[in-house]
Amino acid sequence: MHYDEISIIKQAIEHEYEGYEYYLAQSRKINSDAVSGVFRDLAEEEILHVSWLEELLKFKYEGLSVNMLKFIDEISPPDIFDWGEIKNFRFEDLKEAFQHIMDLELEAVRFYDEAGKRATDEPTQKLFKKLSEWELSHYQMFKNKYDEIQ
């Protein structure tokens, strides 16, 4: 089977846009400004991932126009939100959404892990590894909160 890295990167961009749309839709369903803000923040993080992937795609097409490795090394996860700030909200109302989000995040981890193993250069390997780590941190954050409301 032929490995097409450009197609994989484009697929990753598409997945991140889908995540953006999903989180944005969830933010509109919630009647709590704080919880809605959590989902909007996650949507914005997905768009940030898109920008990194687009930079990687540009690197693939045009060569190393920026120091891609330095750029990737400098990426660090933001503090998205503090669940402690959210008061008077029934998290039980979010159980189904959390289950779906956890599934999506684990799927993203598997996608980026596999893509990283097959990547043909160090910048691509590093970015996919970084994205996998971030998606795993999203999963763990939602799993911890989900376990609390069980």
Side-chain angles (χ1 to χ4, degrees):
M1 182 170 141
H2 174 69
Y3 177 68
D4 180 358
E5 201 160 67
I6 297 296
S7 293
I8 295 294
I9 296 167
K10 288 178 179 179
Q11 184 179 2
I13 290 170
E14 185 178 311
H15 286 279
E16 295 294 341
Y17 272 124
E18 288 171 359
Y20 166 79
E21 292 293 333
Y22 179 78
Y23 287 131
L24 208 54
Q26 288 300 317
S27 77
R28 293 179 181 136
K29 287 182 179 179
I30 303 300
N31 292 328
S32 162
D33 288 342
V35 176
S36 181
V38 166
F39 286 113
R40 280 192 308 276
D41 290 346
L42 284 165
E44 290 304 313
E45 189 173 319
E46 298 296 288
I47 292 300
L48 183 61
H49 295 176
V50 167
S51 70
W52 300 336
L53 289 161
E54 287 174 341
E55 184 68 27
L56 180 62
L57 199 57
K58 182 178 174 185
F59 159 71
K60 292 292 187 180
Y61 280 125
E62 300 174 8
L64 194 57
S65 59
V66 297
N67 187 342
M68 191 71 180
L69 289 175
K70 184 175 186 293
F71 168 75
I72 294 168
D73 287 337
E74 291 174 356
I75 295 171
S76 58
D79 294 325
I80 301 173
F81 54 87
D82 178 2
W83 288 107
E85 297 295 315
I86 299 172
K87 304 199 182 342
N88 301 320
F89 184 80
R90 290 178 30 90
F91 284 104
E92 293 80 14
D93 297 337
L94 291 175
K95 284 172 85 169
E96 185 177 327
F98 277 27
Q99 288 172 329
H100 185 68
I101 289 166
M102 289 184 301
D103 290 343
L104 291 174
E105 296 296 343
L106 281 181
E107 183 180 317
V109 169
R110 286 189 288 273
F111 176 84
Y112 286 124
D113 282 349
E114 181 62 29
K117 288 176 192 170
R118 300 180 76 186
T120 59
D121 57 71
E122 189 176 3
T124 305
Q125 292 167 351
K126 288 181 101 169
L127 183 56
F128 285 159
K129 183 177 187 304
K130 184 76 76 168
L131 287 168
S132 174
E133 290 168 357
W134 277 34
E135 302 295 357
L136 185 59
S137 74
H138 294 165
Y139 166 81
Q140 197 58 55
M141 174 184 60
F142 279 99
K143 174 132 177 42
N144 290 344
K145 185 52 67 176
Y146 182 83
D147 288 347
E148 285 179 25
I149 61 176
Q150 285 291 51

